[in-house]
């Protein structure tokens, strides 16, 4: 079994605010900095989605990257791009919009639909800025 790891990159722009209602404004600003700006702010997110699979004898592909592109467009770009993560996105309702929480939510959106194509979601990486990113491999 020669597993190969194939990655597709996608980008989206979205607004958010990090805020904990249990804290006063000073504490929120201290902890979250500019991400607590009351009137929102945006990030240019970049997402790397890596799938794992054995190349098919018929195609030489683990997964057709056109299919992966379409899945990411449907599950990530359409619901997130040019949206407010705190308000507009059904799968983020009631959640904090940190990169960590967002990447877990994106994983949950992608995992099953990729499995339906006979491939395994292996790793996703989400950049909130050029210099800050989170990695998630599923599970605990
Ligand atoms: Ni922010």
């Amino acid at each position: 079994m020669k597993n190969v790891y194939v990655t597709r990159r996608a980008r989206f722009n979205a607004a958010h605010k990090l805020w904990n209602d249990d804290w006063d404004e000073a504490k929120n600003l201290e902890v979250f900095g500019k991400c607590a700006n009351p009137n929102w702010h945006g990030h240019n997110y970049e997402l790397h989605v890596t799938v794992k699979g054995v190349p098919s004898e018929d195609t030489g592909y683990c997964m057709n990257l056109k299919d992966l592109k379409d899945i990411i467009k449907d599950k990530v770009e359409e619901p997130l791009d040019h949206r407010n993560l705190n308000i507009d996105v059904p799968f983020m309702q009631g959640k904090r919009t940190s990169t960590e929480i967002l990447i877990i939510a994106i994983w949950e959106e992608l995992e099953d639909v990729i499995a339906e194509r006979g491939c395994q979601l292996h790793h996703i990486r989400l950049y909130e800025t050029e210099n800050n990113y989170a990695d998630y491999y599923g599970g605990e």
Side-chain angles (χ1 to χ4, degrees):
M1 294 280 279
K2 293 189 167 69
N3 278 303
V4 180
Y5 301 81
V6 180
T7 300
R8 168 86 193 172
R9 183 180 72 167
R11 291 178 169 135
F12 58 93
N13 309 315
H16 80 154
K17 178 170 74 174
L18 295 178
W19 192 269
N20 186 329
D21 285 331
D22 294 336
W23 299 339
D24 64 15
E25 185 174 353
K27 170 102 176 187
N28 272 287
L29 292 171
E30 178 195 323
V31 172
F32 295 125
K34 287 180 177 176
C35 278
N37 180 34
N39 292 325
W40 316 103
H41 65 280
H43 292 285
N44 299 318
Y45 290 93
E46 183 170 305
L47 178 71
H48 295 193
V49 177
T50 302
V51 298
K52 169 185 175 181
V54 177
S56 149
E57 275 192 30
D58 295 331
T59 62
Y61 293 160
C62 302
M63 181 174 181
N64 189 319
L65 284 187
K66 169 71 164 60
D67 291 343
L68 184 56
K69 175 186 171 185
D70 290 345
I71 289 168
I72 294 170
K73 185 168 177 53
D74 184 43
K75 295 291 181 180
V76 178
E77 292 172 58
E78 291 288 345
L80 297 180
D81 190 38
H82 286 68
R83 308 288 181 174
N84 184 318
L85 301 178
N86 295 71
I87 295 173
D88 298 329
V89 181
F91 66 76
M92 290 302 290
Q93 292 299 307
K95 297 179 180 175
R96 297 200 192 286
T97 56
S98 67
T99 313
E100 291 89 332
I101 301 300
L102 181 58
I103 197 173
I104 293 170
I106 290 172
W107 179 282
E108 288 169 353
E109 290 299 298
L110 292 174
E111 186 176 22
D112 289 350
V113 64
I114 287 172
E116 283 165 16
R117 307 297 175 102
C119 225
Q120 188 186 332
L121 183 56
H122 173 69
H123 166 229
I124 59 179
R125 172 171 289 183
L126 181 63
Y127 287 84
E128 188 182 74
T129 71
E130 252 187 317
N131 297 320
N132 297 342
Y133 64 86
D135 288 306
Y136 189 53
Y137 292 83
E140 299 302 313

